[in-house]
Amino acid sequence: MAKNTRSTDRVCEMKGQRLLAFFLLLTAMPAAMAHEFSVSMDHKSSSGLAYKEHWLDKSLSPAAKTVAASLHASAGATAEIGGLELEVAAKYKGYYVGSENVLHLAALAKDSNKFSIPQSGIYSLNGSLQMLQSRQVTLGKKMQWGDNLQLHLKPHVFTIEDYQSAKSRGTLLVAGQDANVQGTLNRVGTRRFGFLVNEKEDHGWGWGLDIAGAYTRGPWRVDFSANNLLSQLRFSSVHYSDRLYNVKAVNGEIEIKRHNSFSMTGEYGHRKSNERLPVQTQIALSNSNWSQWQLGLYSVSDRVTPWLAYQYSYGPLYARATTMQFQNLSLDVSWLSANGSGVGLGVTFAGNGKPRLGQLLAKVVW
């Protein structure tokens, strides 16, 4: 174990040195080149955000909706060189697509070891969660076709610092006081996820492509973006766990963790693995005659959510109110200078009415 720890620390130290060297290189470049340092966070969801308190207020439902949520956080530097954008950044990406029931039980598990069985019915426990922490290098290129179409291509490669994937497929069957949970849970993850005595080194890297653009025709404008196209995460060694669950109710309750009515079979270990992040897209439609209004679609994987926004600007100040299928309300306020530097903050109000941080931006351009 000591050997693995020292090796991992050495790798992290080398990566930190390379990142520092890039920042120093930026400051030494000619002033004619555009430079940028930014810190940002963007959390979107078709329902409530990924905060425990919101989902504790919910309850299990046979008619639970499918939730799509994403969280992007980034801190890095960008330099524009000869028409290309070179970015080096630390990135965090998180995605969830699945039943509201899974989020409620996950929030409940933080405070309690069991829950009372609900009314008779069939409850979906399907869900997919992925979280990636990486150090990423992106080479971007902006292109223009005629007067109507603009494209921004951002191919990137990255080293994987931490990764977790959990995919559940299950149901809760309730008939009176009899209840049973049956399903599978498949997990893949790096060292922080691992639980083996003789852990192996994680070796992971990957690549992907992000695209953004705009198309105008007359008064109409369509803005679009797609993230994680061609996504690949390659591991030569990574932890995995494949489990089959069968849990029965005892005295009208089901325990979330192991007890005498808990049955689990499966296997775990290390393996070589190729993973893929879900594609996240966003489309916005606007008209210059009603420039303060926008409507569009947001999606993670195959879950598509409509949204509506109202925006207002006054000089360098910008404000925006957005609702995702009228399930939540996000309010964003930002200030941007003439050269692109600025700050921004956004909060989201979900079912319980409490504001939660949804967006954060701090950017310096020189």
Side-chain angles (χ1 to χ4, degrees):
M1 292 293 292
K3 181 179 179 181
N4 283 352
T5 302
R6 287 195 300 269
S7 177
T8 302
D9 291 342
R10 177 58 180 161
V11 170
C12 293
E13 179 183 352
M14 292 174 63
K15 290 175 179 175
Q17 290 173 351
R18 288 196 293 267
L19 191 60
L20 176 61
F22 179 78
F23 290 149
L24 295 176
L25 178 63
L26 288 182
T27 61
M29 287 180 177
M33 298 179 181
H35 308 83
E36 174 186 313
F37 179 79
S38 64
V39 176
S40 65
M41 187 275 283
D42 184 22
H43 187 4
K44 290 185 172 65
S45 173
S46 60
S47 186
L49 300 186
Y51 290 97
K52 181 187 72 173
E53 293 76 12
H54 173 79
W55 295 105
L56 280 177
D57 292 341
K58 300 289 185 178
S59 60
L60 294 173
S61 171
K65 298 177 181 178
T66 298
V67 176
S70 61
L71 172 61
H72 290 175
S74 175
T78 303
E80 185 174 334
I81 307 172
L84 298 176
E85 297 173 344
L86 177 63
E87 179 195 35
V88 173
K91 302 275 187 178
Y92 178 89
K93 298 180 179 181
Y95 304 95
Y96 175 78
V97 179
S99 172
E100 293 178 319
N101 292 332
V102 176
L103 294 175
H104 172 69
L105 292 180
L108 192 65
K110 298 289 185 179
D111 296 329
S112 175
N113 190 38
K114 54 190 175 183
F115 64 93
S116 299
I117 63 174
Q119 64 184 8
S120 297
I122 302 176
Y123 299 78
S124 171
L125 299 179
N126 296 339
S128 177
L129 172 69
Q130 289 178 272
M131 297 181 291
L132 171 67
Q133 181 180 333
S134 65
R135 296 182 185 273
Q136 179 172 300
V137 177
T138 303
L139 189 64
K141 174 65 176 178
K142 293 181 179 179
M143 294 178 286
Q144 177 89 35
W145 275 275
D147 299 327
N148 302 105
L149 180 61
Q150 302 173 6
L151 277 182
H152 191 183
L153 304 180
K154 293 184 283 186
H156 50 266
V157 295
F158 51 84
T159 59
I160 297 171
E161 304 296 310
D162 193 21
Y163 175 73
Q164 290 191 43
S165 170
K167 298 178 181 179
S168 66
R169 294 292 180 269
T171 55
L172 167 61
L173 304 176
V174 182
Q177 289 300 303
D178 294 326
N180 179 246
V181 173
Q182 291 185 333
T184 60
L185 177 61
N186 306 109
R187 302 179 66 191
V188 173
T190 48
R191 287 174 62 88
R192 296 182 189 178
F193 160 82
F195 48 85
L196 301 178
V197 175
N198 297 314
E199 289 189 289
K200 294 183 179 180
E201 294 282 350
D202 296 311
H203 300 282
W205 69 288
W207 67 83
L209 172 65
D210 297 342
I211 294 178
Y215 177 77
T216 57
R217 191 170 185 86
W220 295 98
R221 177 184 173 102
V222 178
D223 293 274
F224 56 89
S225 64
N227 297 328
N228 305 326
L229 297 173
L230 309 177
S231 169
Q232 286 286 315
L233 284 69
R234 299 291 182 94
F235 295 94
S236 59
S237 175
V238 70
H239 295 81
Y240 78 94
S241 170
D242 297 325
R243 296 180 177 181
L244 175 65
Y245 288 88
N246 187 358
V247 186
K248 296 181 180 179
V250 176
N251 298 324
E253 294 181 324
I254 291 182
E255 290 195 27
I256 299 174
K257 299 180 182 178
R258 181 182 298 274
H259 61 76
N260 57 6
S261 294
F262 185 105
S263 174
M264 179 192 76
T265 58
E267 61 179 16
Y268 56 87
H270 295 96
R271 68 186 179 197
K272 181 179 179 180
S273 181
N274 295 335
E275 301 285 311
R276 184 187 299 271
L277 293 177
V279 175
Q280 180 207 339
T281 64
Q282 177 127 307
I283 299 175
L285 176 66
S286 59
N287 188 296
S288 59
N289 296 318
W290 307 283
S291 58
Q292 293 176 317
W293 291 95
Q294 273 190 329
L295 59 89
L297 299 172
Y298 158 82
S299 74
V300 179
S301 188
D302 58 353
R303 176 67 168 92
V304 181
T305 304
W307 57 265
L308 178 67
Y310 179 83
Q311 53 196 8
Y312 176 78
S313 61
Y314 182 77
L317 294 176
Y318 174 82
R320 179 184 175 93
T322 308
T323 178
M324 289 276 189
Q325 62 182 8
F326 300 102
Q327 295 294 311
N328 53 32
L329 176 65
S330 299
L331 301 177
D332 309 319
V333 178
S334 59
W335 174 88
L336 294 175
S337 66
N339 75 338
S341 299
V343 293
L345 182 68
V347 296
T348 296
F349 298 84
N352 56 13
K354 296 180 181 179
R356 296 292 184 181
L357 182 64
Q359 285 189 327
L360 182 66
L361 171 67
K363 182 168 64 172
V364 178
V365 180
W366 73 96

